[in-house]
Amino acid sequence: MSIQIGDISSINNIISSSNKSKNESGQLFEDIYKAAIGLIDDTNQLQKESEQVTTDFATGKTDNFVDVLVASEKASVALQYTVTLRDKLLDAYNEIMRMQV
């Protein structure tokens, strides 16, 4: 399983359609949450695939070093994106919490 551009843009599409009523805002949060969980699952899967390819290379089951590098880089980019997304969501949450009502 790999992260597709559509998976990443789905989060952006959900966020961009945020002009909704209070009842729909709960649904918006749920949609963002589900998309983020899906992204985390995809990142975890890429990390596992990278680990498996690396193990296969180390044990001699495969001799294709390029596959090891590609899998490792995919996992690294996915993790960086996931961490960046988490940081942005935490920043947004903290900003909301600082608002005076």
Side-chain angles (χ1 to χ4, degrees):
M1 175 177 284
S2 63
I3 296 177
Q4 302 296 321
I5 297 298
D7 297 338
I8 295 169
S9 65
S10 68
I11 294 173
N12 292 331
N13 290 338
I14 292 168
I15 293 171
S16 67
S17 64
S18 63
N19 294 333
K20 298 184 176 190
S21 69
K22 188 173 182 179
N23 290 338
E24 292 173 330
S25 295
Q27 183 64 37
L28 173 67
F29 177 78
E30 182 180 347
D31 293 343
I32 292 171
Y33 182 76
K34 286 179 180 178
I37 292 298
L39 180 64
I40 291 169
D41 290 341
D42 291 345
T43 301
N44 187 41
Q45 183 63 33
L46 286 171
Q47 292 286 334
K48 287 179 182 179
E49 288 174 7
S50 174
E51 185 178 319
Q52 182 61 46
V53 171
T54 302
T55 301
D56 288 348
F57 182 75
T59 58
K61 291 181 182 176
T62 184
D63 60 350
N64 192 346
F65 187 66
V66 174
D67 287 345
V68 175
L69 291 177
V70 168
S72 177
E73 194 61 27
K74 280 183 179 180
S76 176
V77 168
L79 183 60
Q80 289 173 2
Y81 180 78
T82 303
V83 169
T84 301
L85 180 63
R86 181 208 59 190
D87 291 345
K88 294 290 184 181
L89 288 172
L90 284 174
D91 288 345
Y93 172 79
N94 288 330
E95 186 66 28
I96 290 169
M97 295 308 292
R98 282 192 290 265
M99 287 183 183
Q100 304 238 344
V101 184

